[in-house]
Amino acid sequence: MDLEQIASEITSHQQSATEMEKITLRYDGLTVEDAYEIQRLSVASMIRPGNSLVGWKMGLTSKAKQQSVGVNEALYGRLLASMELAQPELSLKGLIHPRVEPEIAFVLKHRLEGPRVTPRDVWLATECVMPAVEVIDSRYKNFSFTLVDVVADNASSAKFLVADQAYSPYQFRWDEVGVVMKKNGEVVQTGAGAAVLGHPVRSVVELVHMLHRTGHALEAGMVVLTGAITEAIHVYEGDTVSVEFDEMGEIRLDVRP
Ligand code: 0L1
Ligand code: MG
């Protein structure tokens, strides 16, 4: 099977913000390993000076999210510099049917790799922890996919925004941090950090183990989005989303045309 060709098809839908049929409907026998290779090839084709790999995201780290999309395991995706929002404004240009979800981000000061990394290793390698929001946007029609499809589509990665303020990893119990997400002033989702594999640090551990299988590692300076704390919500032009993180203030995102 020509994985390069599938990767370039997906890249073109990501760049033109056009929906596509599931690749699993058109290509027989694709494995999850193939899907991660397609993801790697597709993202690699977008890397250039000024648009480097800045981190990784874990997705489907909560039972609720797994059930809502019918995929029952966690997955990872790659974050490029161009995906990071510098301002709390989301332009709908380049997006198909975006959804927003609250996350906790880890920023690393040391490299992390290997099959036996523990939470202790992650804490020692972490510079800071930051509230964040992720904007996901599946390139598949109706946000409908299998694990293979969504992995190949870079785990629905689109945009992300981290808070202005960073926190010491030891300042809070990250599993107990509560979030309240509002859309246009109305509460639409609530949750706590424990939704992310019991504790967000577990998500970083799992990511390092998953990356090890393909010979990858987390590099110093990288950001890791650990996974959604609540369900993702659809957003439309004119919406304002705010996410309050216990004792850490709020992240606000204005949705523009
Ligand atoms: O970040 C996420 O949890 C999303 C992973 C992919 C599944 C989806 O598009 O909802
Ligand atoms: Mg996410």
Side-chain angles (χ1 to χ4, degrees):
M1 201 132 19
D2 189 350
L3 302 185
E4 289 261 13
Q5 143 72 29
I6 304 174
S8 105
E9 212 179 298
I10 291 179
T11 308
S12 115
H13 282 272
Q14 290 171 345
Q15 293 183 327
S16 60
T18 50
E19 290 178 303
M20 62 188 291
E21 294 291 351
K22 288 185 268 230
I23 55 171
T24 49
L25 292 180
R26 287 174 296 123
Y27 301 95
D28 259 352
L30 282 171
T31 63
V32 175
E33 289 72 29
D34 292 335
Y36 277 114
E37 178 61 6
I38 293 168
Q39 178 191 118
R40 188 189 68 76
L41 291 165
S42 164
V43 174
S45 75
M46 291 184 268
I47 290 177
R48 48 185 52 87
N51 196 23
S52 57
L53 184 73
V54 294
W56 302 80
K57 65 165 271 186
M58 284 289 278
L60 304 184
T61 45
S62 74
K63 280 276 161 265
K65 277 217 73 176
Q66 291 180 2
Q67 279 162 4
S68 79
V69 298
V71 172
N72 56 11
E73 57 189 280
L75 75 181
Y76 66 79
R78 290 162 157 88
L79 301 175
L80 290 173
S82 56
M83 296 176 183
E84 183 161 9
L85 298 172
Q87 301 292 333
E89 283 182 10
L90 177 68
S91 165
L92 293 176
K93 285 194 192 75
L95 300 174
I96 304 167
H97 37 206
R99 302 171 73 181
V100 175
E101 54 192 28
E103 306 230 356
I104 289 169
F106 281 51
V107 180
L108 300 181
K109 61 182 173 191
H110 299 306
R111 191 167 200 268
L112 270 175
E113 72 171 319
R116 279 178 289 278
V117 159
T118 65
R120 183 165 61 83
D121 298 318
V122 174
W123 293 126
L124 292 176
T126 299
E127 171 67 25
C128 60
V129 179
M130 303 174 84
V133 294
E134 186 186 14
V135 180
I136 53 173
D137 191 27
S138 175
R139 270 50 67 165
Y140 298 111
K141 290 183 178 157
N142 305 317
F143 246 101
S144 160
F145 40 67
T146 66
L147 178 62
V148 165
D149 296 299
V150 66
V151 165
D153 183 27
N154 197 18
S156 304
S157 300
K159 300 284 177 191
F160 69 99
L161 174 68
V162 294
D164 287 340
Q165 183 62 51
Y167 295 89
S168 155
Y170 312 113
Q171 195 163 342
F172 297 105
R173 282 205 55 137
W174 298 99
D175 56 340
E176 290 181 356
V177 165
V179 303
V180 176
M181 181 156 63
K182 294 181 183 165
K183 184 160 120 173
N184 305 324
E186 301 247 327
V187 174
V188 284
Q189 291 287 333
T190 58
V196 181
L197 296 180
H199 192 301
V201 75
R202 288 263 159 217
S203 181
V204 185
V205 169
E206 181 62 19
L207 174 62
V208 178
H209 293 167
M210 290 170 89
L211 291 180
H212 175 73
R213 288 174 212 146
T214 49
H216 294 93
L218 296 184
E219 303 297 339
M222 283 187 158
V223 61
V224 177
L225 297 180
T226 54
I229 298 170
T230 71
E231 276 292 334
I233 56 158
H234 284 285
V235 291
Y236 304 95
E237 182 181 335
D239 284 343
T240 293
V241 176
S242 67
V243 184
E244 292 161 22
F245 290 79
D246 278 351
E247 299 183 58
M248 285 173 273
E250 70 167 29
I251 299 185
R252 184 189 154 106
L253 195 60
D254 293 320
V255 185
R256 307 272 188 237

